[in-house]
Structure formats: C-alpha cells, structure tokens
C-alpha cells in the first residue's frame, strides 16, 4: 500500500499528546470498552459459544424528519446547497462564527465549564451474550464502523458546523481526540470512512501502527482527498487478501462518481490445532446525493458482487461477512431493505425515494429497468458476469432480457443489522450523525447471523451456514441527547458521526 512513517509518530509521540490533552478534556462518559461479561483475557483467546434465548425486538416503520441541508461531498451537489456552501466557505478555516438555524443544535456556551457539561454524551454497552449458552469453542472479536469526518470536507461545508466553538473544529484538536477514542474502544477491526489521505499517511496510520494495528487504505478516485480504511489488530487477525473497489467506471454514465469501497479477507489468529476460519470485512461510503438513488444502488451492487466473490469458499459456501460504512440511506428505505431482504422490486420507484433521506424527495424520475447496464459487468443478482462485448450480446438486448426477470435486483448475502434503529423503549429513534442541519441514521454494521443469533430469534434475519453471534453493541442515543450536547462535533467527540461498535462470536 503506502510507505510507513512510523518515525514521525511512535511510542514517544503518543504519551506526549495523552499527557497534554487528558488533563484538560474528559472523554465522553462510557461503560468499559469490553462488556461486563467479557474479561480482557477473553479478548485474546478462544471462548465457548453461547446458548440461544429469546429476544423480542422488531423494526418499526421509519418515518424520518429531515431538513435539506447536508454535506457537499459529491461531484455535483444540489444547486441550493452549493450556493449555501460557497457562502459559508468565506468563514475562517476550522472555525464557525454565526448563530445556528432553527431546530439546529444550540450554540456552545462561552464558558468552558458549561461547554464541558454540554458536550458530555453517555453511551453504554448492551450485553446480549446472556442469550447464548457456552458449548462449542469460538473466537470473539469486536468491530467498529466510524466516519471520522474529513477535515477538507469540514472546511468545504463550514455552514453545517456553525453551532461549534472554533477550536473544536481544528485538526490539531480533533486528531488526538479521534485517536484517543479509537484507543479507548480498542476494537479488533475498524472500518473508517472520510479518512483524509495526507492525515492518514502522516498521522493516523503511524499512530494506529504503534498501537498494534495493520492498516489498509483506499482513497477516493479523482481529486477527492479522503477514502476508506480497514484496520485490524495484528495479534488477532492476519490478512489473507485485500481488494479495493472503485465505483467510477469510464464509459458507464451511471458510474461517474468517485466513491470507493474496500474488502478484506481476514483469518483469526488461532491457537495450535484450531480449525481455520475466515471473515470477510467490507467498508464503504456511498454517494450522498439524495436525488441519485440509481447511482447508490449501482455502487452497492458492485460492492456486493466483490464481497460475494471474496467471501466465497472452496466448497461453494460463503464465510461470515461484516459489512460496514456510511450508506447515506436511512433505516427502512428501499436501499436499506435491499441489503436486509436480499431483493428489491423497484418498478415505478422514483430515484429520490431510494435512500429515504428526504421527506419530500426532489428526484422524481423513475429508476431505469435495469438500473445498471450489462457493460458494468455485474448481473441483476449482484454477481460478476461477462460484459456484452465478451458474449456477443448487444446493449439493445438489455430491456428484453430485464423484462423476463422483472424490475428487480437481488443478492445472495444473508445480512442482519447490529442495531435495531430504535432505543430500548421502542419509540425513540437511534441517531448516528448530527450537525446543524439534520440528525439521522446513515451508518451501519451488517453481519452474517448464525443459528440462534438474536436477529434470528426475533425474526429479523435468517441463519447462515457459517455465521456470527452478536454478543454486545455500544448503544446509540436519540436526537434529544445530541441536541443537549450541542450537536456534533463537540469538544470531546470530534466527528459529526458517532462510532458504531459491536462484539461478535465466530463459531468454529
């Protein structure tokens, strides 16, 4: 991948920023990184499998309330947002100076004491391990998905962060906070989005390597400065293979955006004599534009095709999959349902409704049938196939061929969501991102559920031949909690997204 810069950030660097920042700032209040049922020695070893139990939960219909403002990270932002973004770019770099709009997070107090209280967010672990028994040997591991907010995108979209105190947005403040947060949770696998390349090369990668992690990175294509990273502990996993995924395809008009994905095949470090096992980890950041659901689905189709190829084992089965990222789609939306239900009937569907990001979508053009052309090399079942030029099939044959299958797409991965998207009371919606324009859920950790997993018990998923048991998850919060903390980023939480963290058990 890239050259290492360990000499610039190493064992002498980390204690320096720890001692400097920790006395002044207290990290968000959290339960211990490891759930009470998991001791630290279990993190490094093999533990027994747990027994099935009952879990009553379901996904109620999601009716999000959104405003039109959002991050201007696409090649062609909506015109209204472009004008607003350009006006706000005149503000000082890494700072904000104006009052926030209606219904946005309240402006931070000028009092350091008040600011400290307002930015404190409490999150607790939800332990699910008691729902399983202890029978077969297994391998427990943790996964984090986190959009850490590219500094360049923050500056380009300064109008989204008017509610923040100026120093909160400075990278010199944000970087130590982010590293400290990653170190506190200490996940075995991290899927990071909006990782700015220069910061990754000079600071983030060396810092994580000094903590015992191996890093893989894929920058967005074109002139975009950020990308996705898959990071894992060297003492817990070994890398079998890594596969960057570029959604930009020359000559395919639908695939003209610079988003990317990264797929890694990992093998747990097992004690001598233990059976070999593998886990496929995928990370992506899909297009933001709410009016281009067709592009989002095409990007997802390419990613699922690559995941299906990488996860396929010699006997034709599929190893467990963990799919993470910022999908720029809300729970219950057609794109979300496609991931969970493995099928989407999109006949007569407007492209602006695919992601559910807007209550009144402006993109009213209907999805084409098929959504993406055969020249993409991906079938409507999200599997790689030969292009028409390689099979003597013309593009004119596409509509007739699609008509035989109907306006639908499918994929072969059985995936459940770590989060239910509602808090324990079943009424308040979980939120993963919050800034001055909106508070919604767009970040997810999907996984292949094993027989007896909580998602299977509750009827929210079907068991996989080789799957994972969800042991615990770091609880999310609702919009009221984030509003009380003055939105995101805060003095202690240095992204406009919250990290998602889960613990799994891989059955042997």
């Amino acid at each position: 991948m890239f050259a290492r810069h360990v000499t610039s950030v190493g064992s002498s660097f980390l204690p320096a920023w720890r001692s400097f920042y920790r006395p002044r700032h207290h990290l968000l209040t959290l339960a211990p990184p490891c759930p009470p049922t998991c001791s630290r020695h279990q993190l490094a070893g093999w533990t027994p499998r747990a027994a099935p139990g009952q879990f009553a939960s379901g996904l109620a219909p999601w009716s999000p309330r959104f405003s039109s403002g959002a991050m201007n990270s696409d090649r062609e932002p909506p015109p209204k947002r472009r004008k607003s973004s350009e006006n706000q770019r005149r503000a000082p770099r890494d700072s904000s100076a104006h009052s926030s709009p209606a219904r946005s997070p309240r402006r931070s107090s000028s009092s350091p004491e008040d600011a400290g209280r307002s930015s404190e967010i409490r999150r607790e672990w939800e332990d699910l391990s008691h729902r399983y028994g202890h029978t077969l040997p297994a391998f427990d591991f943790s996964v984090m998905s986190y959009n850490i907010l590219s500094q360049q995108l923050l500056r380009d979209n300064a109008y989204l962060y008017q509610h923040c105190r100026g120093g909160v947005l400075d990278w010199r403040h944000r970087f130590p906070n982010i590293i400290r947060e990653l170190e506190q949770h200490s996940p075995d696998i991290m899927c990071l989005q909006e990782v700015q390349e220069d910061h990754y090369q000079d600071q983030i990668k060396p810092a994580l390597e000094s903590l015992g992690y191996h890093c893989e990175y894929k920058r967005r294509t074109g002139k975009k400065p950020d990308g996705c990273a898959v990071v894992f502990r060297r003492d817990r996993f070994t890398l079998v293979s890594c596969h960057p995924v570029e959604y930009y395809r020359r000559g395919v008009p639908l695939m003209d955006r610079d988003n990317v994905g990264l797929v890694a095949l990992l093998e747990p470090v097992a004690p001598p004599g233990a059976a070999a096992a593998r886990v496929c980890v995928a990370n992506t950041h899909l297009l933001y534009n709410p009016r281009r659901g067709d592009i989002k689905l095409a990007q997802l189709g390419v990613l699922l095709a690559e995941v299906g190829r990488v996860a396929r084992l010699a006997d034709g089965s599929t190893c467990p999959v963990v799919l993470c990222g910022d999908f720029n789609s809300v729970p219950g939306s057609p794109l979300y349902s496609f991931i969970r239900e493995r099928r989407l009937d999109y006949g007569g569907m407007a492209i602006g409704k695919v992601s559910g990001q807007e209550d009144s979508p402006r993109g009213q053009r209907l999805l084409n049938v098929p959504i993406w052309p055969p020249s993409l090399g991906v079938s409507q079942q999200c599997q790689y196939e030969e292009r028409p030029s390689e099979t003597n099939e013309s593009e004119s044959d596409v509509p007739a061929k699609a008509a035989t299958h109907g306006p639908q797409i499918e994929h072969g991965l059985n995936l459940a969501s770590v989060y239910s998207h509602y808090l324990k009371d079943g009424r308040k919606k979980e939120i993963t991102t919050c800034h001055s324009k909106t508070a919604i859920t767009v970040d997810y950790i999907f996984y292949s559920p094993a027989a007896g997993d909580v998602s299977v018990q509750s009827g929210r998923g079907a068991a996989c031949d080789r799957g994972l048991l969800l042991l615990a998850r770091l609880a999310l919060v609702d919009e009221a909690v984030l509003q009380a903390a003055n939105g995101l980023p805060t003095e202690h939480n240095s992204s406009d997204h919250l990290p998602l963290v889960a613990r799994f058990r891989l059955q042997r």
Side-chain angles (χ1 to χ4, degrees):
M1 294 293 292
F2 298 98
R4 297 187 179 184
H5 300 274
V6 180
T7 56
S8 62
V9 179
S11 57
S12 61
F13 170 78
L14 289 172
W17 66 253
R18 287 177 191 152
S19 61
F20 176 77
Y21 281 93
R22 284 182 175 169
R24 299 178 57 190
H25 305 301
H26 300 286
L27 196 62
L28 53 84
T29 306
L30 288 170
C34 181
T37 57
C38 304
S39 63
R40 292 303 300 176
H41 74 272
Q42 286 177 310
L43 292 178
W46 295 75
T47 58
R49 183 178 67 91
Q54 293 298 320
F55 180 71
S57 176
L59 179 58
W62 179 278
S63 301
R65 170 178 55 78
F66 304 98
S67 64
S68 60
M71 181 159 288
N72 174 21
S73 60
D74 301 332
R75 178 177 296 178
E76 299 175 2
K80 291 183 179 179
R81 257 193 303 278
R82 178 187 297 155
K83 181 177 180 180
S84 175
S85 175
E86 290 172 352
N87 291 338
Q88 293 299 333
R89 287 177 192 175
R90 298 173 184 173
R93 294 164 63 99
D94 299 342
S95 64
S96 54
H98 305 290
S99 60
S100 56
R103 298 195 62 82
S104 66
R106 68 175 185 272
R107 185 176 174 82
S108 293
S109 168
S110 58
S111 167
E113 292 79 7
D114 291 342
R117 285 196 296 270
S118 67
S119 61
E120 196 169 318
I121 301 173
R122 179 173 179 80
R123 298 178 65 186
E124 297 180 348
W125 278 94
E126 296 180 19
D127 179 27
L128 306 173
S129 63
H130 63 279
R131 303 181 186 276
Y132 314 117
H134 298 275
T135 53
L136 300 177
F139 178 80
D140 293 355
F141 65 98
S142 55
V143 177
M144 170 189 283
S145 182
Y146 195 8
N147 182 326
I148 66 172
L149 179 58
S150 158
Q151 191 70 12
Q152 183 64 51
L153 292 179
L154 183 156
R155 289 197 294 262
D156 290 347
N157 297 274
Y159 71 104
L160 296 178
Y161 310 105
Q162 296 177 13
H163 59 284
C164 299
R165 296 173 61 227
V168 167
L169 302 179
D170 194 292
W171 178 247
R172 291 169 297 183
H173 173 87
R174 296 182 59 230
F175 168 65
N177 264 5
I178 291 170
I179 294 297
R180 184 170 59 242
E181 191 168 17
L182 300 181
E183 185 179 11
Q184 181 196 21
H185 292 300
S186 190
D188 298 311
I189 300 172
M190 288 186 270
C191 292
L192 307 178
Q193 305 90 41
E194 289 194 24
V195 182
Q196 193 164 306
E197 186 179 33
D198 57 343
H199 292 158
Y200 170 78
Q201 293 284 17
D202 298 336
Q203 297 172 286
I204 298 173
K205 181 182 179 184
L208 292 177
E209 287 181 334
S210 72
L211 294 173
Y213 287 96
H214 174 91
C215 305
E216 296 287 339
Y217 179 78
K218 173 58 183 175
R219 175 182 165 171
R220 286 202 283 169
T221 52
K223 298 180 180 180
K224 305 300 183 182
D226 64 289
C228 295
V230 172
V231 181
F232 60 89
R233 286 193 171 277
R234 294 190 296 267
D235 61 344
R236 308 246 40 226
F237 291 93
T238 59
L239 179 65
V240 178
S241 60
C242 187
H243 311 267
V245 181
E246 296 184 356
Y247 300 137
Y248 177 84
R249 302 293 175 87
R250 185 182 299 274
V252 183
L254 191 64
M255 306 297 285
D256 63 348
R257 306 303 167 95
D258 294 315
N259 307 81
V260 296
L262 193 59
V263 182
L265 187 61
L266 305 181
E267 188 171 293
V269 175
R278 290 180 175 179
V279 178
C280 180
V281 178
N283 182 22
T284 193
H285 189 179
L286 298 184
L287 180 74
Y288 160 72
N289 194 335
R291 294 180 290 172
R292 294 309 304 265
D294 51 346
I295 296 179
K296 294 175 192 274
L297 286 172
Q299 291 179 346
L300 180 60
V302 171
L303 180 66
L304 292 174
E306 184 67 9
V307 171
R309 183 187 69 82
V310 174
R312 190 172 299 112
L313 301 175
D315 62 2
S317 63
T318 300
C319 72
V321 171
V322 178
L323 174 60
C324 300
D326 180 342
F327 290 82
N328 275 314
S329 301
V330 304
S333 66
L335 187 144
Y336 173 92
S337 299
F338 175 53
I339 295 174
R340 291 287 310 277
E341 298 171 10
R342 296 187 284 179
R343 174 173 171 169
L344 177 64
D345 295 311
Y346 60 86
M349 183 181 297
I351 60 174
K353 294 183 177 180
V354 169
S355 65
Q357 292 166 277
E358 297 178 329
D359 280 332
S360 301
R362 290 169 289 170
Q364 297 300 324
R365 180 170 61 82
L366 301 184
L367 289 167
N368 292 330
V369 181
I371 297 175
W372 57 79
S375 58
L376 185 58
V378 175
S379 72
Q380 302 303 299
Q381 289 72 44
C382 296
Q383 296 178 352
Y384 287 127
E385 64 179 3
E386 293 181 336
R387 293 176 174 82
S389 60
E390 299 170 350
T391 61
N392 296 322
E393 180 183 11
S394 67
E395 293 283 348
S396 61
D397 296 329
V398 172
K401 185 177 180 180
T404 61
H405 298 283
Q408 66 183 39
I409 50 177
E410 301 173 336
H411 69 86
L413 301 175
N414 187 11
L415 299 170
S417 173
V418 163
Y419 291 89
S420 65
H421 313 308
Y422 284 84
L423 301 183
K424 289 181 179 179
D425 62 9
R427 298 187 302 272
K428 297 178 181 178
K429 299 167 187 173
E430 296 173 334
I431 300 297
T432 68
T433 180
C434 176
H435 47 64
S436 66
K437 293 294 184 180
T438 191
I440 58 175
T441 286
V442 294
D443 307 279
Y444 304 95
I445 300 177
F446 298 104
Y447 67 101
S448 305
D453 179 73
V454 291
S455 66
V456 177
Q457 296 170 19
S458 64
R460 294 185 290 111
C464 301
D465 293 336
R466 292 181 173 90
L468 305 172
L469 294 174
L470 176 61
L471 299 180
R473 60 194 169 210
L474 185 62
L476 290 165
V477 297
D478 63 6
E479 182 176 357
V481 172
L482 293 172
Q483 295 285 351
N486 195 45
L488 295 172
T490 69
E491 187 174 357
H492 313 305
N493 305 90
S494 288
S495 174
D496 57 353
H497 292 247
L498 293 175
L500 280 57
V501 191
R503 286 191 56 79
F504 296 104
R505 175 162 293 164
L506 172 62
Q507 301 183 94
R508 306 295 295 187

